[in-house]
Amino acid sequence: METTRESLLLMQERFRRFEQNLPCVIYEYVSDDTGIGQFVYFTPQWYELTEVTAEAGIADVNVAIGLVHPDDRAAFMEKNAHAAQTMTVLRIKIRIVTASGIIKWIALTSSPMSRNQDGLITWNGVMIDVTAEKLVEESLYEAKERFARMAETLPHGLYEYVIHADGRSEYLYLSKRAEEIYEYSFSELNENMSLFWDMVHADDLARLRSTDVAANRSGNLFVSEFRIKTRSGKLKWVQLSALPDRNPRSFPVVWHGVLVDITQEKQAEQARLQQQINQELAQARLLRIQQVEQLNAELAQSIEEKNQLLRSLSLFAKSSMASNLVSTLAHEVNQPLGAIAINAQQLQSVLKGHANDLHIEDAQYLLGRIRSDNQRAADVISRLRALFVLGSEPLEKFDLNELITETTEAIGFEHLRQNISVILELDVSNPILSGERGQIQMIIFNALNNAIDSIRNHGGTRAIHIRTLHQGESVVMEVEDTGPGFPDHILQNGFQLFQTTKPHGMGVGLWLSRAIADNHKATMRASNLPSGGAQLVFAFPV
Ligand code: ADP
């Protein structure tokens, strides 16, 4: 008996310790079929939970019911009644307000254990403080809500995609934005996974598949840009990036992904690219234009250089011609100068040695000759100067006869010296030419010089004939001599420059005469007379 009592006490003690260490409230409740009744027992945690004593709770059921949060009370009462009516377990989460006003969440489980002969039901119940869990749950819910709101307002699509061990895959989540981009709903895609791959542009398909395979193998970030053709037929550029939540070799693997519609960026990029290409093209064109301009400039320069060369050549020709003229005419200058010297010498010797013999007339004569020779030399020099600026003399009308007379007189000393008679047969009507007088005089000079040269060492008659006559619309001037005549090759070759048979000749005179004749629209003809002498005939238009 003693041992039974002792063991009972021991059990009671054990139960008390167990009871005190429970993380929940255990209670016993007795009710009728409507669920209304009375608490008969609370474990000590009741006070800790409610801040109401077990005695107070047991004394008045309304004290306990009064702890239930007003918002949850009706639901609690209803479920409680239902459990009593049906004799089923009551499971409910409700809020209570403690004596000090703290709101706590409790999870209440009440099981109908037995019914006595009065029809009253005994309930064994457990109350667990789930405030902390509830808070977590709430904040989780809030976070989920926040995530959902964010996901819907994000311009990017979000998704969760799972791959199972057997290779099956499905979306766990697909945000509205992702559905908008694909133009397929979450359920449509999950029902038919090939819808996704069918959307992908043929040119991007292989690349996307290999990226996909590589990412699944490595578990690294998956990123790919590709084109899709949506249900409505729109072509979109999208960017998919996703990360798995764990090693992809242990299934299931969940990929968390972001889907971005980058069509506008791509279009902008393409426009930029096009613009860049256009710019490059424009630059290339500009370069081409610059090259052409450069070529043009080079061409212009080479033309200019050529022109310059031509100009210098012509200048050279002119100057060489002029210098040849100088040589050709040098003796014309030297002759009067030589005459001056001789006359001056004579005058000197007359003055020195034969002072007594000096006649004032002789002296005056010599002085007159010196003066006229001097004048002759000066004239030649000034004509020479005029020839340097060939073509610059003004056109004028002049008497050809007068010019011939003047010119023969100018070199009179020379032909007198050579014992050559100059015979002038000039047209009585005094033919008037219009042109450059100095140039025509040059022709006459040259003809006379050549005639004198040809006669100089030639035997027989020593004469020069100069004739002028009107012939139709022309004024003709003929110069004939009694020399050996033109050499055959001179006649055959015409009046080429630098053709000369003289040891110190220049071969310019005939050529220049011809050029002057051309200038005056005159013709020039050379031939040999039957008698053997040379004949030069010029026909000037009137
Ligand atoms: P150059 O004064 O050097 O002789 P020209 O052009 O005046 O140059 O004459 C060319 C050549 O024509 C002369 O070298 C000469 O052979 C020939 N010639 C010119 N005039 C006569 C002429 N009146 N009689 C013979 N030959 C002449």
Side-chain angles (χ1 to χ4, degrees):
M1 196 63 198
E2 191 61 33
T3 45
T4 315
R5 199 173 158 263
E6 264 176 20
S7 65
L8 195 70
L9 279 172
L10 201 65
M11 259 179 69
Q12 267 182 347
E13 176 55 26
R14 213 177 268 152
F15 181 71
R16 205 181 50 81
R17 276 207 307 272
F18 166 73
E19 205 182 51
Q20 271 169 351
N21 290 317
L22 277 175
C24 56
V25 178
I26 293 175
Y27 65 87
E28 201 177 302
Y29 180 68
V30 179
S31 79
D32 59 17
D33 280 349
T34 66
I36 301 295
Q38 190 175 0
F39 286 99
V40 290
Y41 173 74
F42 288 113
T43 55
Q45 291 82 5
W46 165 256
Y47 180 75
E48 209 178 294
L49 180 71
T50 63
E51 295 167 37
V52 172
T53 60
E55 291 75 27
I58 289 165
D60 184 355
V61 73
N62 288 321
V63 171
I65 290 172
L67 289 169
V68 178
H69 193 284
D71 291 352
D72 296 347
R73 205 173 289 157
F76 169 69
M77 294 307 281
E78 193 193 321
K79 284 211 166 165
N80 186 45
H82 176 78
Q85 276 156 24
T86 54
M87 284 290 281
T88 52
V89 180
L90 166 67
R91 273 197 192 89
I92 193 165
K93 271 181 191 162
I94 49 168
R95 281 163 294 179
I96 58 163
V97 184
T98 66
S100 70
I102 298 168
I103 295 172
K104 291 181 177 172
W105 275 98
I106 57 165
L108 186 147
T109 310
S110 184
S111 312
M113 301 307 289
S114 59
R115 193 190 280 270
N116 66 14
Q117 57 267 39
D118 303 329
L120 294 177
I121 310 161
T122 300
W123 302 80
N124 272 356
V126 180
M127 287 178 207
I128 304 171
D129 184 345
V130 291
T131 310
E133 288 88 331
K134 199 66 187 169
L135 279 176
V136 169
E137 198 180 291
E138 260 174 16
S139 63
L140 255 177
Y141 178 78
E142 261 173 38
K144 217 173 142 190
E145 277 288 288
R146 202 177 297 131
F147 171 77
R149 277 198 306 276
M150 261 167 59
E152 299 319 320
T153 48
L154 264 181
H156 304 341
L158 300 177
Y159 70 89
E160 264 175 24
Y161 186 77
V162 64
I163 301 172
H164 299 284
D166 59 6
R168 270 185 316 108
S169 60
E170 63 187 319
Y171 284 104
L172 297 177
Y173 170 76
L174 189 71
S175 75
K176 272 216 177 66
R177 181 70 191 120
E179 288 180 327
E180 273 169 22
I181 293 172
Y182 286 146
E183 295 178 16
Y184 284 113
S185 73
F186 170 76
S187 52
E188 279 171 325
L189 285 168
N190 266 349
E191 266 164 41
N192 182 5
M193 272 295 161
S194 66
L195 279 178
F196 171 79
W197 290 106
D198 290 347
M199 271 193 283
V200 178
H201 193 286
D203 293 349
D204 300 341
L205 194 60
R207 183 169 48 84
L208 183 64
R209 279 211 189 271
S210 70
T211 311
D212 187 45
V213 167
N216 274 307
R217 195 171 297 148
S218 68
N220 292 335
L221 180 70
F222 164 95
V223 189
S224 187
E225 288 180 3
F226 54 94
R227 283 160 290 178
I228 54 168
K229 198 176 181 182
T230 64
R231 189 207 293 259
S232 70
K234 271 190 206 128
L235 186 81
K236 291 181 183 172
W237 267 100
V238 294
Q239 187 199 59
L240 253 188
S241 34
L243 257 180
D245 61 355
R246 64 160 87 163
N247 188 328
R249 269 174 287 270
S250 63
F251 290 97
V253 186
V254 179
W255 287 83
H256 305 271
V258 179
L259 174 70
V260 190
D261 184 343
I262 54 166
T263 312
Q264 276 182 354
E265 286 89 329
K266 279 283 175 187
Q267 278 168 353
E269 190 183 309
Q270 256 156 11
R272 246 196 331 272
L273 223 86
Q274 190 59 48
Q275 199 183 354
Q276 200 178 324
I277 290 169
N278 288 346
Q279 260 172 10
E280 274 164 18
L281 276 175
Q283 263 170 2
R285 251 186 62 204
L286 200 75
L287 199 75
R288 190 99 195 88
I289 290 171
Q290 279 170 350
Q291 282 172 343
V292 169
E293 276 173 356
Q294 171 93 22
L295 277 175
N296 274 347
E298 280 168 13
L299 201 69
Q301 195 182 338
S302 76
I303 287 172
E304 180 51 34
E305 277 168 6
K306 223 164 161 186
N307 283 339
Q308 197 76 41
L309 193 68
L310 282 173
R311 265 201 297 278
S312 5
L313 273 177
S314 63
L315 271 175
F316 172 75
K318 217 173 182 176
S319 69
S320 80
M321 182 182 79
S323 73
N324 284 328
L325 282 172
V326 172
S327 312
T328 311
L329 294 177
H331 65 287
E332 298 299 338
V333 185
N334 287 336
Q335 281 155 18
L337 289 178
I340 291 166
I342 290 163
N343 289 333
Q345 230 169 19
Q346 260 177 3
L347 188 60
Q348 218 174 17
S349 60
V350 166
L351 289 173
K352 262 189 189 166
H354 311 280
N356 297 335
D357 296 336
L358 180 69
H359 294 288
I360 196 77
E361 291 90 345
D362 290 343
Q364 269 173 342
Y365 170 73
L366 283 172
L367 276 173
R369 287 301 301 266
I370 288 169
R371 206 179 292 128
S372 77
D373 284 340
N374 193 37
Q375 181 60 46
R376 228 178 84 205
D379 286 347
V380 172
I381 286 166
S382 75
R383 276 193 294 275
L384 210 57
R385 199 185 292 129
L387 281 166
F388 267 97
V389 281
L390 198 69
S392 64
E393 272 182 39
L395 285 184
E396 55 179 322
K397 285 193 189 314
F398 58 88
D399 188 339
L400 180 59
N401 290 352
E402 209 177 84
L403 185 62
I404 290 167
T405 313
E406 193 186 300
T407 311
T408 46
E409 272 175 11
I411 55 168
F413 180 80
E414 180 63 10
H415 55 78
L416 276 178
R417 211 165 66 122
Q418 296 291 334
N419 197 21
I420 296 166
S421 49
V422 175
I423 301 139
L424 303 181
E425 295 171 48
L426 303 177
D427 194 296
V428 283
S429 65
N430 283 13
I432 303 296
L433 292 187
S434 94
E436 290 189 31
R437 197 172 184 275
Q439 287 188 14
I440 306 296
Q441 188 168 40
M442 184 64 224
I443 289 178
I444 302 166
F445 256 125
N446 190 58
L448 283 171
N449 269 326
N450 279 341
I452 293 167
D453 281 344
S454 73
I455 297 166
R456 196 191 304 269
N457 301 315
H458 194 67
T461 325
R462 300 170 76 83
I464 299 168
H465 284 261
I466 303 180
R467 224 171 276 123
T468 59
L469 56 143
H470 273 100
Q471 217 168 61
E473 293 294 305
S474 305
V475 168
V476 173
M477 175 175 73
E478 293 174 349
V479 182
E480 294 171 3
D481 62 50
T482 54
F486 293 102
D488 283 345
H489 74 275
I490 297 280
L491 287 181
Q492 277 154 21
N493 295 345
F495 314 110
Q496 284 182 7
L497 195 55
F498 307 135
Q499 279 197 128
T500 180
T501 56
K502 300 169 194 172
H504 302 292
M506 290 287 173
V508 170
L510 287 179
W511 172 83
L512 183 71
S513 298
R514 168 67 181 274
I516 293 170
D518 285 347
N519 261 358
H520 288 77
K521 306 224 158 36
T523 60
M524 171 180 162
R525 195 163 44 79
S527 60
N528 287 333
L529 295 166
S531 55
Q535 185 193 45
L536 264 183
V537 181
F538 295 90
F540 297 96
V542 179

